[in-house]
């Protein structure tokens, strides 16, 4: 293959549309701008989203604050007072709560809140528990098994402190190397 044989891929290049070059060209006379009016002039100068004087879509929309978090998880809420109907030492999970009519669906994650009073021990298998509800369940002698790991809490570094993970990784690897040297037989 030689330099003069190089050709661009078929369809990747398109010729510029030459307007105003006679009626036979298809874009002659008015050059595709139509007849008269503001859009036919050489410097139209209309703002983006202009709708010919009609109230713009951006102005017709209601003024909303905030945003919709697309990763938000919707939990089915159950209060401790409602759990008193179950037998002592029974395992309470989403399926049992749905069967009892306390949550709409057994597939939705469940969160237990501390409203109400729990008089006997239960074994809860739920996704989230408030700290007050956890204390109340454990005070009644029950246990809680979380079905998903809680979110890690991010604590900001104090002012002026830098989080240098590369240095901490290097220190950890040096410590591991020194331990390996200590254990090696001589």
């Amino acid at each position: 293959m030689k330099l003069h044989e190089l050709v661009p891929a078929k369809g990747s290049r398109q010729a510029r549309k030459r307007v105003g070059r006679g009626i036979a060209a298809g874009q002659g006379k008015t050059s595709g701008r139509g007849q008269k009016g503001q859009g036919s002039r050489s410097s139209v100068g209309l703002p983006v989203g202009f709708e010919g004087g009609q109230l713009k879509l951006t102005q017709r929309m209601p003024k909303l604050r905030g945003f919709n978090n697309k990763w938000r998880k919707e939990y089915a809420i159950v209060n401790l007072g409602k759990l008193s109907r179950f037998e002592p030492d029974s395992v309470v999970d989403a399926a049992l709560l749905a069967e009892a009519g306390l949550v709409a669906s057994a597939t939705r994650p469940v969160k237990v809140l501390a409203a109400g009073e729990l008089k006997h021990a239960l074994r809860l298998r739920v996704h989230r528990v408030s700290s007050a509800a956890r204390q109340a369940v454990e005070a009644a002698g029950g246990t809680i098994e979380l079905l998903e790991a809680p979110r890690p809490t991010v604590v900001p570094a104090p002012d002026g402190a830098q989080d240098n993970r590369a240095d901490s990784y290097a220190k950890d690897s040096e410590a591991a190397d020194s331990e390996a040297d200590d254990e090696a037989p001589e």
Side-chain angles (χ1 to χ4, degrees), residues 60-79:
R60 293 196 302 265
M61 297 297 287
K63 206 187 253 188
L64 299 175
R65 302 283 181 223
F67 70 103
N68 290 326
N69 185 356
K70 67 180 180 180
W71 295 286
R72 176 188 166 98
K73 270 193 177 177
E74 289 286 341
Y75 288 89
I77 303 297
V78 178
N79 291 317

Side-chain angles (χ1 to χ4, degrees), residues 7-166:
V7 201
K10 189 171 179 71
S12 67
R13 311 280 294 182
Q14 192 168 0
R16 180 175 61 90
K17 186 184 284 186
R18 298 175 72 236
V19 296
R21 294 293 181 270
I23 54 174
Q27 293 291 325
K29 192 178 166 237
T30 53
S31 302
R33 291 169 177 262
Q35 309 282 336
K36 302 182 181 176
Q38 191 173 15
S40 71
R41 309 303 177 198
S42 61
S43 56
V44 178
L46 288 172
V48 174
F50 183 70
E51 298 185 24
Q54 172 178 290
L55 196 63
K56 294 188 296 185
L57 177 68
T58 52
Q59 286 183 286
R60 293 196 302 265
M61 297 297 287
K63 206 187 253 188
L64 299 175
R65 302 283 181 223
F67 70 103
N68 290 326
N69 185 356
K70 67 180 180 180
W71 295 286
R72 176 188 166 98
K73 270 193 177 177
E74 289 286 341
Y75 288 89
I77 303 297
V78 178
N79 291 317
L80 278 181
K82 302 278 186 183
L83 299 179
S84 298
R85 66 176 73 182
F86 298 112
E87 296 293 322
D89 292 324
S90 61
V91 177
V92 178
D93 58 357
L96 188 63
L97 291 170
E99 188 179 310
L102 294 177
V103 296
S105 170
T107 58
R108 199 169 194 186
V110 177
K111 181 171 183 175
V112 178
L113 299 180
E117 202 175 331
L118 187 64
K119 301 191 187 308
H120 54 270
L122 290 174
R123 290 172 39 208
L124 297 180
R125 295 187 73 240
V126 292
H127 296 83
R128 291 281 167 90
V129 180
S130 69
S131 57
R134 179 183 291 278
Q135 290 172 355
V137 169
E138 289 171 354
T143 59
I144 297 169
E145 180 188 340
L146 290 180
L147 299 178
E148 67 182 45
R151 285 180 287 203
T153 55
V154 177
V155 180
D159 290 341
Q162 292 182 350
D163 180 24
N164 197 343
R165 292 172 192 208

